[in-house]
Amino acid sequence: GDINLIVEFGACLDDWKQSKRAPLLEAKLRFRKELDKLLEVTPEVPAGNSGGSKPASAAGAPGGDLTGALQRVGELRAELGSLQRRLDEVDVSTDSFWLELMLWHELERIGARRGLREVEERLSFASCKACYLNWVKSGNPIHFLHSAPLQFGAFEPLRWHPQLSGASFFGSDFIGDILRELDRDLGVDVRRRPLLVISVIGVQSSGKSTLMNYLFGCSFATHVGRCTKGLYISLLETQKELIVILDTEGLLSVEARDDVFDKQVALMTMACSDLVIVNNRGELGRHVGDLFQVCLFALYHLKLARISPAIGFVLQCLSMVNQQQQYEWVATVKKSLEESVQELQQKEKPQSFQLGDLVFLDSESIFVMPSAFNDDVQFGLQVSRATNLYALK
Ligand SMILES: Nc1nc2c(ncn2[C@@H]2O[C@H](COP(=O)(O)OP(=O)(O)OP(=O)(O)O)[C@@H](O)[C@H]2O)c(=O)[nH]1
Ligand SMILES: [Mg+2]
């Protein structure tokens, strides 16, 4: 039950991982930049992340170059996919350790393995669960959903038992037991103390986890490259309410996912939240339209089921903007949302609806934030200092 040892183990894993990740990330950044540049001028609708966006203008890619450009886009996507797979292979953390234990627990439950007795007679999953519970109570988030399509708990039966029909219906009791225990501990009673669910969605690496950590003092993992995978839960308790914070996997990931996965994440998150923060960092380029499409698609379908979470948009700027620029950003967001609704409208015929039917927008629904860090290069290394401005905002 000593979680200090787990923390130490996590630090060792991090050290090991950093050296493996650095060269892969550098190559990924290079390819990604080249791809973004090409996509600006190439009228292709990419496989996977089409998201319903309008093709970019072909102005920069005259006829002769077009085939070459499209071919290069395909190559870059393949390279990015392969780099991401290699990054995923070395992306081990304490979460992978817990996930393995949960998986093992499930295999014991269905009688496929002998459980921890394989290692040592005295070991039991009960003590693992007690340890995980300590881990969660000391502020670490619960890795609630993982993989694609999103799965509950740890068990991936089809990977281990492809012959089992209906195998995907097995749930993970490990996480279930943890949640039941927390439920008992916290004395969850929504009549006495309301339960608020607040979540964040947005493009990959847009600073979602950083934002939630700043806002609610959570400990979601943050690092460059695809970091959050699946869905994490953090619990907060105040005298008046219980707050569940959901941190989600980044959307519009060119190299890893497709828009079905994005819609699944958005739908799942919005379906169970009271407030959803839609986070975006940097330019309001073509990807913002794609992001809004995914969100509005989810909102439209939830509306049919009479579920309407409150939505807040957070725009994180790369540099400080003045008041006038803030107004312009907000106007751009509204315009982009309107356009996305029109496109959705065409797809979802014969239903007719307007932006106001899906999202309630008032002066407080769109926040413009400065950058969380001042980036600098010292002795050839990138360093980031937290800015007070971000925390104040
Ligand atoms: N310069 C700068 N860096 C930031 C800012 N916010 C986050 N970062 C850094 O950007 C990287 C990604 O931040 P995360 O908070 O992990 O982003 P995320 O959206 O949760 O990423 P995924 O979970 O992978 O989708 C981290 O290295 C952060 O330290 C910001 O406002 N400015
Ligand atoms: Mg994250």
Side-chain angles (χ1 to χ4, degrees), residues 204-210 222 225 227-228 250 281 316 371-372 375:
Q204 191 193 105
S205 292
S206 57
K208 299 179 290 301
S209 305
T210 306
T222 64
C227 176
T228 311
R281 174 145 57 110
Q316 300 191 31
S371 172
D375 288 328

Side-chain angles (χ1 to χ4, degrees), residues 1-3 6 97-98 101-106 108-109 116 123-137 142 171-182 184-185:
D2 182 1
I3 60 166
I6 310 246
F97 165 71
W98 290 121
L101 275 180
M102 293 174 196
L103 172 62
W104 204 345
H105 175 269
E106 284 309 294
E108 184 193 38
R109 205 160 71 93
L116 293 178
L123 286 179
S124 76
F125 281 113
S127 52
C128 294
K129 281 182 201 162
C131 187
Y132 189 73
L133 204 63
N134 272 344
W135 169 261
V136 171
K137 283 185 186 166
I142 303 169
S172 164
D173 230 18
F174 194 107
I175 285 284
D177 288 348
I178 297 294
L179 292 181
R180 272 186 288 275
E181 191 67 39
L182 283 171
R184 241 193 324 268
D185 250 38

Side-chain angles (χ1 to χ4, degrees), residues 29-91:
L29 191 68
R30 220 177 37 245
F31 287 138
R32 185 67 210 251
K33 274 188 182 155
E34 189 184 340
L35 179 66
D36 282 348
K37 222 172 179 173
L38 269 175
L39 287 180
E40 284 293 312
V41 294
T42 312
E44 66 116 39
V45 178
N49 266 324
S50 57
S53 66
K54 276 181 263 163
S57 148
D65 299 341
L66 196 58
T67 324
L70 284 175
Q71 195 182 343
R72 184 67 190 143
V73 166
E75 285 167 11
L76 286 169
R77 283 186 185 284
E79 285 287 357
L80 281 165
S82 131
L83 276 170
Q84 188 58 53
R85 277 190 295 282
R86 284 159 65 197
L87 275 163
D88 285 344
E89 274 164 20
V90 295
D91 191 9

